[in-house]
Amino acid sequence: MTDSRESHAIVARFYEAINSGALDDLDAICSPDLQGHAGAGSDLTALKASIGAFIAAFPDLIITPRHVVAESDLVSTWLVYAGRHGGEFAGVPATGRAVRFAAWDLMRIRDGRVAEITQYCDLFTLMNQIGALPTTTPA
């Protein structure tokens, strides 16, 4: 069984790899048979592709863990994403606008690696910040 300190360290390495753009480091941090859910994609290849697309759209993206709670083999992390919209995202061309939004990850650690991950982020706030949502005027 993985203890809480080890789980925290593994999760910290996960976000450090993303923040540095070293997505190939995820091969050593995540299990080769990683199971992904929601925004994480279905496996390690899909996870790396999803994160890579996000970095392409927000090249200076920084993920800051705000709260990390580990219990047994599960780690829950409340995150803040921040960066500038520098590439196409969800069909929206780069706007140069700053973005800041919340996200949440739940990871299962097995044999010292991330074996399962569920990711959710506040896409409503993100899409609003890059001007992708229609605005309404009062009647």
Side-chain angles (χ1 to χ4, degrees):
M1 181 185 288
T2 306
D3 73 23
S4 295
R5 284 185 308 237
E6 182 183 359
S7 295
H8 276 263
I10 292 164
V11 169
R13 286 180 44 226
F14 180 87
Y15 296 117
E16 288 167 8
I18 295 170
N19 284 341
S20 68
L23 299 188
D24 287 339
D25 289 356
L26 295 177
D27 294 337
I29 298 166
C30 297
S31 174
D33 61 347
L34 174 97
Q35 293 180 344
H37 309 284
S42 60
D43 59 19
L44 181 55
T45 301
L47 174 68
K48 288 169 61 175
S50 174
I51 294 169
F54 223 88
I55 291 171
F58 304 93
D60 62 348
L61 180 73
I62 295 294
I63 302 170
T64 305
R66 298 290 303 221
H67 303 287
V68 181
V69 178
E71 182 175 328
S72 185
D73 63 344
L74 291 175
V75 180
S76 177
T77 309
W78 188 251
L79 308 155
V80 173
Y81 281 59
R84 192 159 298 280
H85 184 208
E88 183 180 328
F89 181 76
V92 179
T95 63
R97 292 180 180 178
V99 298
R100 183 178 173 86
F101 59 95
W104 169 79
D105 288 347
L106 180 65
M107 298 183 201
R108 183 176 308 279
I109 308 300
R110 185 173 53 238
D111 299 325
R113 293 172 132 185
V114 177
E116 186 175 4
I117 182 170
T118 302
Q119 294 184 316
Y120 287 99
C121 68
D122 183 359
L123 288 177
F124 182 83
T125 296
L126 171 61
M127 298 301 280
N128 187 51
Q129 290 175 352
I130 63 174
L133 298 180
T135 58
T136 59
T137 51

